[in-house]
Amino acid sequence: MTSELDADVLLRAYDEQLRTEIPDPLPAGMVVEWDGPVVRMSGLDRGGFVTYRDVSHLTGPELDALIARQRDYFAARGEEVEWKLRGHDLPADLPDRLVAAGFKPDELETVIIGLAAPLAQAPVLPDGVTLREVTSHADLERIAAMEEAVWHEDRSHLVRGLAKELDADPQGLTIVVAEAGGEVVCAGWIRYEKGTDFAGLWGGSTLEQWRGRGIYKAMVAHRAIRAVARGFKYLQVDASDDSRPILERLGMVAVTTTTPYIWRPLAA
């Protein structure tokens, strides 16, 4: 493995460049505030979001107070909030402190990073499947409908959120659908993180009957081509257990984990 794909090297770059990334320009309605070492984002379409690079320097009472302030801020707004915890975060008892403040862990994912250039190959698709880049509201609605069929839950926030991102910065992301017979069978998007070496791959859900045919791999390749064309060195994914083995076979490297810790108002 080259030094460029050394897990420790990649993790350092991830910590330095992506832990406190802020959209620029901000989508309509989004508010970003710093509270000590954390970045708090509100006005999103699916509750709030808290991220940070390092909180290990805080004493126990200071850290508890910081966590409580984020919870109370969103409680006053009547909104849920996600505290994005990475597996290598310190102190080691940070998860316990979040739980004590009323946060609950959601599904763990693996942070996967790879070089964009080797992945930027012509996509290979099964017969009858095509890729298309989209921006229209109608296509965003079709993406949400596909995601709802996969996950059996409301995904309408994707329509609102992606539309706001496109309105704020049309060049800040590329949204891609895989279609067969006029049906969206897979969708994903790539966010170009300004001022960093990274582009992030998001989405990638695929209808069950279309899995195992190379569509997800083709979606990665298409988006890698776009990243390389814009000068980005790395691709980063918060990978599910389903997508992690595909990405690792493509040469990407697991560097840490991420777990959303969610606090919800009692009425939510």
Side-chain angles (χ1 to χ4, degrees), residues 189-242:
W189 43 101
I190 178 170
R191 291 189 175 103
Y192 308 106
E193 301 294 348
K194 292 181 180 179
T196 80
D197 296 321
F198 289 87
L201 303 186
W202 303 92
S205 298
T206 306
L207 291 178
E208 184 175 4
Q209 62 269 33
W210 288 95
R211 294 172 195 164
R213 304 193 196 186
I215 296 175
Y216 180 80
K217 180 180 176 180
M219 293 281 284
V220 170
H222 182 98
R223 290 176 289 173
I225 291 170
R226 294 293 179 262
V228 170
R230 291 171 181 249
F232 288 89
K233 181 177 182 179
Y234 297 119
L235 297 178
Q236 179 264 321
V237 186
D238 288 355
S240 68
D241 288 343
D242 291 330

Side-chain angles (χ1 to χ4, degrees), residues 144-217:
M146 181 276 298
E147 290 246 352
E148 288 173 2
V150 171
W151 299 106
H152 309 292
E153 64 181 29
D154 177 37
R155 291 293 173 116
S156 59
H157 67 276
L158 286 175
V159 180
R160 299 187 299 271
L162 290 172
K164 286 183 179 180
E165 287 188 60
L166 288 170
D167 286 344
D169 184 8
Q171 302 304 312
L173 75 164
T174 301
I175 304 169
V176 189
V177 294
E179 296 171 302
E183 179 182 32
V184 174
V185 300
C186 180
W189 43 101
I190 178 170
R191 291 189 175 103
Y192 308 106
E193 301 294 348
K194 292 181 180 179
T196 80
D197 296 321
F198 289 87
L201 303 186
W202 303 92
S205 298
T206 306
L207 291 178
E208 184 175 4
Q209 62 269 33
W210 288 95
R211 294 172 195 164
R213 304 193 196 186
I215 296 175
Y216 180 80
K217 180 180 176 180

Side-chain angles (χ1 to χ4, degrees), residues 10-86:
L10 295 174
L11 182 59
R12 283 196 297 272
Y14 172 82
D15 280 341
E16 291 170 1
Q17 299 184 40
L18 289 184
R19 293 294 297 264
T20 54
E21 72 274 20
I22 297 171
D24 178 24
L26 294 179
M30 179 184 288
V31 177
V32 176
E33 302 168 292
W34 284 87
D35 183 351
V38 307
V39 178
R40 179 174 62 222
M41 303 181 190
S42 57
L44 308 177
D45 290 284
R46 201 184 186 189
F49 186 75
V50 174
T51 186
Y52 51 90
R53 184 175 299 175
D54 182 21
V55 294
S56 64
H57 59 286
L58 298 177
T59 66
E62 289 173 329
L63 183 53
D64 290 339
L66 178 68
I67 293 169
R69 285 199 302 274
Q70 312 320 307
R71 177 199 63 203
D72 295 346
Y73 175 89
F74 287 97
R77 296 172 59 93
E79 295 176 0
E80 72 175 55
V81 56
E82 172 187 338
W83 179 293
K84 189 175 178 70
L85 179 83
R86 280 75 167 193

Side-chain angles (χ1 to χ4, degrees), residues 235-255:
L235 297 178
Q236 179 264 321
V237 186
D238 288 355
S240 68
D241 288 343
D242 291 330
S243 56
R244 174 179 177 172
I246 301 172
L247 296 168
E248 290 183 324
R249 286 197 296 271
L250 291 174
M252 300 181 76
V253 177
V255 301

Side-chain angles (χ1 to χ4, degrees), residues 62-130:
E62 289 173 329
L63 183 53
D64 290 339
L66 178 68
I67 293 169
R69 285 199 302 274
Q70 312 320 307
R71 177 199 63 203
D72 295 346
Y73 175 89
F74 287 97
R77 296 172 59 93
E79 295 176 0
E80 72 175 55
V81 56
E82 172 187 338
W83 179 293
K84 189 175 178 70
L85 179 83
R86 280 75 167 193
H88 62 293
D89 285 350
L90 297 173
D93 65 353
L94 178 53
D96 296 332
R97 293 181 182 277
L98 289 166
V99 170
F103 288 77
K104 295 182 179 179
D106 210 329
E107 292 187 19
L108 179 144
E109 294 181 316
T110 303
V111 177
I112 306 277
I113 298 174
L115 293 170
L119 298 172
Q121 306 296 324
V124 178
L125 290 159
D127 290 343
V129 177
T130 58

